[in-house]
Amino acid sequence: MRTSARSGKNSGSNPLLLVLDSNEYVFAFGFVKNTASEELLEFLIENLPVHDIRIVRTIVEEVNSKLSPEQTKEFFAFINAFTSVDEKWVVPFDLGEKYLAFLKKGDAAIAAYTEFVGAQALVSENRKHFHTHKGRFPFVVWDAATCLKELKKLS
């Protein structure tokens, strides 16, 4: 994936605040590819600065542990094009607890973070957990292909 192209165009569309789960980055930058994840990140780069991405340190660490050093450089180039890493985030305890009622700990944390930062969408390939509980979130849960389709509609 190439992250050097930065168009800076703004089509005037309604910007979305997105949180991407670690699997989207791993599937775009890692050895095991998901075409939709790659295309989504390419689309975001090509349409800078239309949409915003928030990322928390725990996601960065998880992705970093699954990439080679060269892939990690590409990942950080992508992140640096969009945002800075949220180093210290304090999500209210009750918000995390709400999601622990039906998600495992890591998924509950990312759902709570998504709600806390006010993102309109969480993008994840985690069908087993997030997608089976879509209606229980104050944000939409999309896989990469659906997110890409929705972003193109807004363009």
Side-chain angles (χ1 to χ4, degrees):
M1 170 168 209
R2 292 176 47 208
T3 58
S4 59
R6 187 173 178 152
S7 69
K9 67 182 176 182
N10 187 335
S11 64
S13 67
N14 295 326
L16 289 180
L17 178 58
L18 306 169
V19 172
L20 279 63
D21 198 1
S22 60
N23 53 40
E24 298 302 339
Y25 299 111
V26 172
F27 289 147
F29 295 105
F31 292 112
V32 177
K33 300 290 188 187
N34 174 354
T35 303
S37 298
E38 287 182 290
E39 290 176 358
L40 172 61
L41 272 58
E42 289 287 344
F43 180 86
L44 290 168
I45 285 287
E46 291 168 3
N47 289 278
L48 272 172
V50 177
H51 304 288
D52 295 319
I53 294 177
R54 295 290 299 264
I55 187 167
V56 67
R57 171 60 59 191
T58 54
I59 294 286
V60 172
E61 290 171 357
E62 184 176 346
V63 172
N64 192 36
S65 73
K66 296 177 180 179
L67 299 178
S68 72
E70 189 61 35
Q71 294 164 335
T72 299
K73 285 188 342 190
E74 285 186 72
F75 167 62
F76 278 109
F78 176 83
I79 294 304
N80 289 333
F82 278 95
T83 190
S84 59
V85 176
D86 286 340
E87 296 290 346
K88 296 182 181 189
W89 53 286
V90 180
V91 175
F93 180 77
D94 58 332
L95 191 56
E97 284 292 307
K98 172 173 86 171
Y99 291 115
L100 278 173
F102 58 94
L103 294 172
K104 62 184 183 174
K105 187 177 178 180
D107 293 339
I110 193 67
Y113 174 75
T114 302
E115 181 175 344
F116 183 70
V117 300
Q120 288 89 4
L122 170 62
V123 184
S124 178
E125 302 304 309
N126 191 343
R127 296 181 198 288
K128 182 178 178 186
H129 299 105
F130 291 122
H131 293 278
T132 58
H133 299 289
K134 279 185 187 183
R136 299 181 81 172
F137 305 109
F139 46 84
V140 295
V141 179
W142 291 324
D143 60 18
T146 303
C147 183
L148 183 60
K149 183 174 84 174
E150 294 298 323
L151 294 180
K152 285 181 176 180
K153 283 186 203 174
L154 295 173
S155 295

